[in-house]
Amino acid sequence: MINIGIYHKSKITSFVFHPVKGTYSIFTEKGKLINIDNGEVIEIKYSNNGVTIKSLDKDYGTFKKIRFIGTEKENSFKLKIPIYKRVRTFEDNLLVKLHDYYNHFQLINNIDIDNYVAGVVESEVGRNPPPEYFKLQAIICRTYALKNIDRHTAEGFSLCNKVHCQAYHGKPKSVLIKEAAIATNGIVIVDSNIDLITATFYSNCGGQTANSEEVWKQELYYLRSTKDTFCLNENNAVWTKKIAKSNWVSYLKKHNCSDDALNHECSIEYFQNNREQFYHKDDVKIPFTQIRTDFKLKSAQFDVFEEGNYVILKGKGFGHGVGLCQEGAMRMAKMGYSYIDILHFYYEDVHMINLESLAFFKADF
């Protein structure tokens, strides 16, 4: 079971809790309050620096924190929050407490990791990929979650529901995704030291993945640049962006480009030789990742063309380019490659292992 901060950073002061499957016991700091099932609705509001609990016909009082604990094998609930139009369904348990510094709630979904993984897979990639890809993404998401399990410890939970950790929108609608999470139960990816890998992924590499140190400075042996022809005809394989030439010139000047250099013929144009780490020309040396951030580009892999009063950036891929290329992996799955084959194509010399075995190998003898 892990704790996920849902609706992270949202200023929620009221919501409706409605069981969908199973029965729930409601606990407060004073102990057990009531049991509810899917025929009941509970309204929660912030009031007088506390959490008030009401049903349709009874006011149960005000408390400091509340736990909704599922009591059956499978439990799920809906949350209707006034500031959001969409009603979302979550599995397992819910903790409601007052935020330490602000007058609103902190909502924490205490959930079985495989239920969480299934929710992440659907939130990250949707319901269209083939089942074999869902298995691969489930293993990657599980590994990523456990690798970063302490990211929000200071805030009282393990991971948030934003892309800062992994996108998580609640219970998946796809039965295939749920089955993929269950089929890969407990499987994670480790390196040669039996440590969980940094299981990074993104949309499209544009034909070549990146070395980890080219993006984050840390060199990891299993995150090596590799040619990837599988993603070349997918949706996010190429892109273009038009920028005013004056803006581009000003940007280069801020990075030590001289007027003399800019006056040379074809001084504006630049062509990457495969993936390059730096835009390096004359006295200018700028990390392509920085240019990507500064101009809000889809990727750091692009060529520069001059066209009248504009500069045209013609790029490849979508995302940082390190690790698994999702569109390439999806294409491989459609072509019949197994999730094991796909995983080893993008992560070099890694191993899949069950969490129980991981605990055994990590135990002190």
Side-chain angles (χ1 to χ4, degrees):
M1 304 294 288
I2 58 176
N3 294 320
I4 309 300
I6 56 176
Y7 299 100
H8 185 48
K9 294 187 176 180
S10 298
K11 296 181 179 179
I12 297 172
T13 57
S14 66
F15 66 89
V16 171
F17 180 97
H18 172 57
V20 176
K21 192 171 187 178
T23 301
Y24 280 85
S25 294
I26 301 179
F27 290 83
T28 72
E29 69 273 14
K30 298 179 181 179
K32 184 175 178 179
L33 186 66
I34 52 171
N35 290 327
I36 58 172
D37 57 27
N38 58 17
E40 299 176 76
V41 173
I42 297 294
E43 183 181 22
I44 305 296
K45 284 188 176 182
Y46 174 86
S47 178
N48 298 321
N49 200 33
V51 186
T52 63
I53 307 175
K54 292 182 180 179
S55 65
L56 295 176
D57 55 8
K58 186 173 181 178
D59 185 342
Y60 290 98
T62 303
F63 307 90
K64 292 298 180 184
K65 61 182 179 181
I66 305 169
R67 293 181 186 271
F68 294 87
I69 307 297
T71 60
E72 298 184 22
K73 184 178 180 179
E74 294 184 19
N75 304 278
S76 60
F77 58 90
K78 287 184 178 181
L79 290 183
K80 183 177 182 180
I81 299 175
I83 61 175
Y84 294 101
K85 293 182 179 180
R86 183 177 178 182
V87 177
R88 285 184 173 168
T89 302
F90 297 89
E91 295 180 271
D92 299 322
N93 312 313
L94 179 70
L95 167 63
V96 184
K97 62 180 183 178
L98 299 175
H99 197 285
D100 291 339
Y101 306 106
Y102 306 103
N103 297 328
H104 58 263
F105 297 138
Q106 186 179 60
L107 304 183
I108 299 173
N109 185 193
N110 173 247
I111 183 172
D112 176 88
I113 189 168
D114 285 334
N115 290 338
Y116 165 71
V117 163
V120 169
V121 170
E122 184 166 288
S123 300
E124 289 281 359
V125 303
R127 300 190 291 271
N128 292 325
E132 197 69 9
Y133 178 80
F134 290 143
K135 294 176 185 177
L136 172 67
Q137 190 72 53
I139 295 170
I140 290 171
C141 291
R142 184 182 297 109
T143 303
Y144 187 93
L146 294 174
K147 177 77 171 181
N148 297 279
I149 197 71
D150 297 325
R151 181 168 283 184
H152 288 276
T153 298
E155 297 168 79
F157 51 92
S158 301
L159 302 162
C160 72
N161 67 316
K162 306 292 186 182
V163 293
H164 171 257
C165 292
Q166 294 185 109
Y168 169 62
H169 301 150
K171 183 180 180 180
K173 294 180 180 179
S174 169
V175 174
L176 291 176
I177 291 177
K178 193 76 171 179
E179 290 175 348
I182 295 171
T184 61
N185 169 262
I187 299 177
V188 291
I189 314 167
V190 296
D191 62 18
S192 55
N193 294 318
I194 318 297
D195 291 322
L196 294 170
I197 72 164
T198 301
T200 55
F201 56 90
Y202 51 91
S203 179
N204 189 301
C205 71
Q208 183 177 1
T209 68
N211 293 314
S212 60
E213 66 272 17
E214 295 170 1
V215 179
W216 298 305
K217 297 182 180 179
Q218 182 182 9
E219 182 177 344
L220 297 171
Y221 81 84
Y222 50 82
L223 295 177
R224 298 295 88 203
S225 178
T226 186
K227 293 286 186 181
D228 178 8
T229 60
F230 296 102
C231 67
L232 291 178
N233 296 315
E234 302 304 314
N235 292 335
N236 291 306
V238 296
W239 56 268
T240 61
K241 183 160 185 174
K242 192 175 185 179
I243 300 171
K245 183 178 177 180
S246 57
N247 291 344
W248 185 256
V249 169
S250 296
Y251 183 78
L252 294 180
K253 285 183 176 180
K254 287 180 182 178
H255 291 84
N256 301 319
C257 188
S258 66
D259 289 329
D260 289 340
L262 287 169
N263 289 329
H264 289 167
E265 187 178 358
C266 299
S267 61
I268 297 294
E269 296 189 341
Y270 191 98
F271 303 97
Q272 287 196 45
N273 181 21
N274 295 320
R275 274 190 181 269
E276 294 181 13
Q277 188 171 359
F278 297 98
Y279 178 101
H280 197 178
K281 195 169 188 178
D282 299 310
D283 294 328
V284 179
K285 188 176 182 181
I286 316 169
F288 275 106
T289 53
Q290 182 180 340
I291 299 175
R292 181 195 175 197
T293 300
D294 292 341
F295 285 94
K296 297 180 173 60
L297 307 176
K298 287 188 174 182
S299 74
Q301 189 179 193
F302 57 86
D303 296 327
V304 184
F305 297 86
E306 187 175 2
E307 191 175 281
N309 293 323
Y310 294 93
V311 165
I312 308 298
L313 305 185
K314 294 186 178 181
K316 300 176 182 178
F318 191 175
H320 51 69
V322 180
L324 180 113
C325 171
Q326 290 177 306
E327 289 190 341
M330 290 177 197
R331 171 55 57 186
M332 291 181 74
K334 290 176 183 176
M335 293 172 66
Y337 287 89
S338 71
Y339 73 87
I340 298 173
D341 292 334
I342 302 170
L343 184 142
H344 288 297
F345 180 78
Y346 290 104
Y347 303 106
E348 189 173 316
D349 294 328
V350 296
H351 315 278
M352 282 183 288
I353 192 171
N354 191 281
L355 285 170
E356 292 181 0
S357 299
L358 179 64
F360 171 79
F361 285 115
K362 286 295 182 181
D364 292 327
F365 290 98

